[in-house]
Amino acid sequence: TFVGRGALDFNTEEMSLTEVVEIPKINVTGQIPQNNVKVAYIFDRENPANYEQMSWAEFHNGVAVGLQISRRALESLDKQGIRTWIDYQKTEYKRYDHAGLMFGLGLQGLFNCFTIADIYFNLRTCNDSRIISTILGLATSKLPSNRINMSEIILKAFNLHLEFNYSSASEVKISRIVQSAAMISIGLYHKGMSKKSLSETMLFQIEARPFNENNRDRECHSLCAGFALGIINLSRGSNIPSIKEMKLDERLLQYIQGGPVSSAVPGEGPNRGDYQSSNLLDCGSINTQMTAPSALMALALIHLKSGNKSISNRIKVPDTMFDIIQCNPCLSLLKVLTRNLILWGDMQPTRTFVYSQIPEIVRFLLESNQKGISDKFYLNSNFANLDYHNLTLVYYNILAGSCM
C-alpha cells in the first residue's frame, strides 16, 4: 500500500520549506462484519517486542511521504540550504517513519549535498533503521565525483557495516539487516562494473553459513547478496572474462538445483573459520530454500534482456509429478520471472503467452476431472502423494510470475 502510494503521488506534494514534514499515522483499526465492532491494534514505540510488528510498516510509510515531496521547491535552494532543510526534518532518530522519510529523500537524490560530518552523524546513532536509510540513500543518490575523497569515504561507510570484513576475534556485532543493506549499497555503487573481487564476495554470502548463534534473517542476507551480485554484473552476460573465469553461471545454477556445499565457503567471510552452529543443522548440502531465490535474482540481473536460451532453458519449473510434489511453489514464481527477464524480447502481452508458461501436466491436473486424471496417472507411483494444495500454489505462482 505504501509503495503504491509513493509511486502514485511521486513528486506531487508541494510544501513550505519552513515546516516539518508531517507523516500520517497508519490506520490499524479493523471492523468485525458480524457485529460491526471496531478492533484497534495498540502498539507502543517504547516497547521493542510490541513495536517490532509495526516498525517496518512505519518505515515504508515514511518512504512514501519522502517520495511524495516535490523536488521543485528544493531545487530553488543551494546545497547548503538543502542540507539545512534535511537536518530540520530529523526530529526523532529512533522512529522508523522518520528514518523512512530520510530514505525517501535519498531515493530522490537529495543526499548529494551531504558532507562527511552529515554521514557520520547519521551513522553514529546505532539505530538500524537510520543506518539503513543513510547507506541506501547514499548509494542511490548521484554523488559528485569531484569531491575530494568522498567516494572513498562512502565506500568505507558501506564496508564498515559488513561484519564478515572483520576478523573472527573481533567483538563487533552488526545486525544482519544492516549488513544486508550494506551489501545492496555496495552493489548499487558498483553497478555494472563486473569487479571480480566483489562478485566473489557476494557469491560467498549467498551460501554462507552462520559464524555465531545469531541465525536470524539469514534469508534476507542471502537474497541481498544475490541482488548485489546481479547489480554489480548488471546486463553483462557471460562474455566478461572475470565472469567466465569464476564460472559464475554454473555456480549460481548449482545454488538453484542443489548439491554439496562448496569447501571454499566455511563461514560468512574468508576470516571466519569452520564454525558450527549449535541450533542450525548443517547436512553438507546446499540449502536451496535459502540460496535459490538469491541465485535466480542474480541470474536475472546478469543476463537481463540478453536472450540467452542456454541459461533460461536450465531454469525449469515443475513439469513432472515428482517435481510438483517436492517443489517449493514460491520458487516457481521466481523461476518464471527470471526466464522472462532473460528472454525479454520473447515476451508478449497476451493471454496465450501467459498460459504457455504453465507446464502441460500442471494444467491437466487442475483443469481435468478426477476420472481423467486417475485414468492417465493410475500407474504413476507418485500420484498417491500428490498434494492438490501444493499443485494449486504452483499453478498460481507460475501465473503470477508470467504477469510480473
Side-chain angles (χ1 to χ4, degrees):
T1 303
F2 304 124
V3 175
R5 193 182 82 214
L8 181 64
D9 298 332
F10 182 71
N11 258 247
T12 59
E13 188 71 27
E14 298 290 345
M15 52 163 296
S16 171
L17 297 177
T18 59
E19 296 178 359
V20 175
V21 176
E22 290 190 11
I23 302 175
K25 293 183 178 180
I26 301 174
N27 185 357
V28 291
T29 303
Q31 184 170 325
I32 301 174
Q34 290 81 356
N35 51 17
N36 294 327
V37 173
K38 291 185 177 181
V39 180
Y41 174 75
I42 300 173
F43 61 92
D44 180 12
R45 287 192 176 95
E46 302 301 324
N47 185 352
N50 179 265
Y51 183 48
E52 187 177 10
Q53 300 177 36
M54 286 294 299
S55 56
W56 290 109
E58 287 209 326
F59 181 86
H60 292 296
N61 185 32
V63 175
V65 173
L67 293 176
Q68 289 171 2
I69 295 172
S70 175
R71 285 178 58 94
R72 284 194 294 258
L74 297 174
E75 285 172 350
S76 62
L77 301 175
D78 58 9
K79 289 184 178 179
Q80 181 60 39
I82 296 175
R83 282 184 61 227
T84 303
W85 182 83
I86 291 176
D87 189 65
Y88 187 54
Q89 307 305 319
K90 296 184 294 186
T91 52
E92 291 189 42
Y93 280 94
K94 293 185 178 180
R95 283 185 53 171
Y96 277 70
D97 51 358
H98 285 274
L101 172 64
M102 292 294 293
F103 182 37
L105 298 175
L107 288 174
Q108 293 216 49
L110 296 176
F111 282 10
N112 59 2
C113 64
F114 270 19
T115 63
I116 296 174
D118 294 325
I119 297 172
Y120 169 73
F121 282 119
N122 276 282
L123 296 180
R124 74 170 186 171
T125 60
C126 297
N127 179 270
D128 285 357
S129 61
R130 180 68 62 171
I131 294 171
I132 289 169
S133 65
T134 301
I135 58 179
L136 287 176
L138 288 170
T140 52
S141 293
K142 295 180 180 178
L143 297 166
S145 59
N146 59 350
R147 297 171 68 182
I148 301 174
N149 296 329
M150 199 60 181
S151 296
E152 184 180 348
I153 293 293
I154 291 169
L155 286 175
K156 283 183 178 180
F158 296 160
N159 284 291
L160 187 68
H161 293 89
L162 293 173
E163 196 170 327
F164 57 77
N165 284 335
Y166 298 90
S167 67
S168 57
S170 172
E171 296 184 358
V172 175
K173 301 298 179 184
I174 305 170
S175 70
R176 278 184 184 270
I177 197 164
V178 170
Q179 295 185 66
S180 301
M183 287 191 292
I184 291 286
S185 300
I186 288 174
L188 290 169
Y189 207 83
H190 296 92
K191 183 180 70 174
M193 294 184 182
S194 291
K195 290 194 173 183
K196 183 181 177 182
S197 58
L198 285 177
S199 298
E200 285 279 8
T201 300
M202 297 307 170
L203 188 65
F204 287 163
Q205 295 312 306
I206 292 176
E207 185 189 0
R209 302 196 301 274
F211 54 84
N212 56 37
E213 296 305 308
N214 179 19
N215 301 320
R216 187 179 179 183
D217 298 322
R218 286 188 71 216
E219 291 83 0
C220 173
H221 185 95
S222 176
L223 185 61
C224 287
F227 271 110
L229 175 61
I231 295 169
I232 291 167
N233 300 284
L234 186 64
S235 298
R236 302 306 294 268
S238 305
N239 299 322
I240 305 300
S242 60
I243 295 180
K244 278 187 176 180
E245 187 180 345
M246 291 170 57
K247 297 182 179 179
L248 187 57
D249 292 340
E250 293 298 324
R251 293 165 75 176
L252 288 173
L253 287 167
Q254 188 180 25
Y255 287 162
I256 299 169
Q257 298 160 359
V261 173
S262 171
S263 59
V265 192
E268 289 188 351
N271 303 320
R272 287 301 180 178
D274 193 9
Y275 178 83
Q276 291 292 331
S277 173
S278 64
N279 56 17
L280 185 70
L281 176 64
D282 180 12
C283 60
S285 298
I286 294 173
N287 179 6
T288 56
Q289 301 299 322
M290 184 183 73
T291 60
S294 315
L296 286 166
M297 290 298 97
L299 283 172
L301 294 172
I302 292 170
H303 297 280
L304 184 65
K305 300 183 181 182
S306 66
N308 190 332
K309 293 190 176 181
S310 63
I311 296 295
S312 63
N313 290 339
R314 296 179 66 180
I315 303 172
K316 294 184 177 181
V317 295
D319 56 0
T320 66
M321 186 73 72
F322 178 79
D323 289 340
I324 293 170
I325 294 170
Q326 297 295 324
C327 77
N328 178 350
C330 297
L331 292 181
S332 301
L333 184 152
L334 296 177
K335 287 179 178 179
V336 173
L337 177 62
T338 299
R339 285 172 54 181
N340 288 331
L341 288 174
I342 294 173
L343 303 176
W344 183 270
D346 295 343
M347 286 196 297
Q348 300 173 5
T350 62
R351 184 184 293 269
T352 302
F353 172 79
V354 171
Y355 280 94
S356 69
Q357 305 289 303
I358 306 172
E360 183 179 348
I361 185 173
V362 176
R363 293 190 65 175
F364 180 82
L365 288 169
L366 272 179
E367 297 172 1
S368 302
N369 57 41
Q370 193 64 38
K371 185 178 184 305
I373 296 172
S374 300
D375 291 343
K376 185 172 183 178
F377 294 104
Y378 74 97
L379 292 177
N380 191 316
S381 59
N382 292 313
F383 178 60
N385 299 321
L386 178 63
D387 182 353
Y388 275 88
H389 176 68
N390 202 60
L391 172 66
T392 305
L393 290 177
V394 169
Y395 178 84
Y396 284 111
N397 272 281
I398 292 174
L399 276 183
S402 303
C403 294
M404 289 175 71

